[in-house]
Amino acid sequence: MGLAKTEMFTDLQNEIALFAKVFGHPARVAILQHLFKIDTCACGDLVNEIGLAQPTISQHLKELKHLGLIKGKVEGTSVCYCINADNWTKMKKVMIQFLDQNIPKGDCC
């Protein structure tokens, strides 16, 4: 059996692609913006705030949590979410290094 496509690339390339993927959906961007705005854990207000159905919000939260950009804790019958500061800082560092590359000065096209 052949290599998985991701195995063809470096760990860093795969990491950058995963970070980019998480920002590839406006609902996930909106969730992150809301979590930054409230500066605390969000429990049940994400459905009302974002305007999507609970299962849809849950799926986006799962993606964000899987990547480690948010963390959740159980409070009673709900899960409260907040930004995972350590992983957010790591992601920022990786993405800034990638995005801050100098554009070649040659005339290629």
Side-chain angles (χ1 to χ4, degrees):
M1 190 153 101
L3 290 174
K5 289 180 183 175
T6 57
E7 292 176 9
M8 295 172 44
F9 303 100
T10 68
D11 290 343
L12 180 60
Q13 289 167 335
N14 282 301
E15 186 175 36
I16 291 168
L18 285 173
F19 289 141
K21 179 183 174 188
V22 83
F23 294 115
H25 197 288
R28 291 191 287 266
V29 173
I31 289 168
L32 289 167
Q33 286 177 320
H34 180 68
L35 292 176
F36 275 110
K37 182 175 74 175
I38 63 171
D39 194 27
T40 186
C41 291
C43 294
D45 62 342
L46 285 170
V47 171
N48 293 332
E49 181 67 29
I50 307 299
L52 296 172
Q54 178 62 51
T56 304
I57 294 290
S58 293
Q59 186 62 37
H60 289 301
L61 289 168
K62 179 180 171 186
E63 291 289 326
L64 291 166
K65 192 171 180 185
H66 174 72
L67 196 54
L69 294 181
I70 65 171
K71 56 186 175 181
K73 64 181 176 181
V74 177
E75 289 189 5
T77 59
S78 63
V79 180
C80 296
Y81 294 95
C82 61
I83 300 293
N84 183 328
D86 291 340
N87 288 348
W88 184 264
T89 300
K90 178 187 173 198
M91 181 273 308
K92 273 180 45 175
K93 182 178 176 184
V94 168
M95 294 305 287
I96 286 170
Q97 285 178 329
F98 175 67
L99 294 172
D100 200 31
Q101 297 178 80
N102 292 324
I103 298 172
K105 294 183 186 209
D107 187 21
C108 72
C109 299

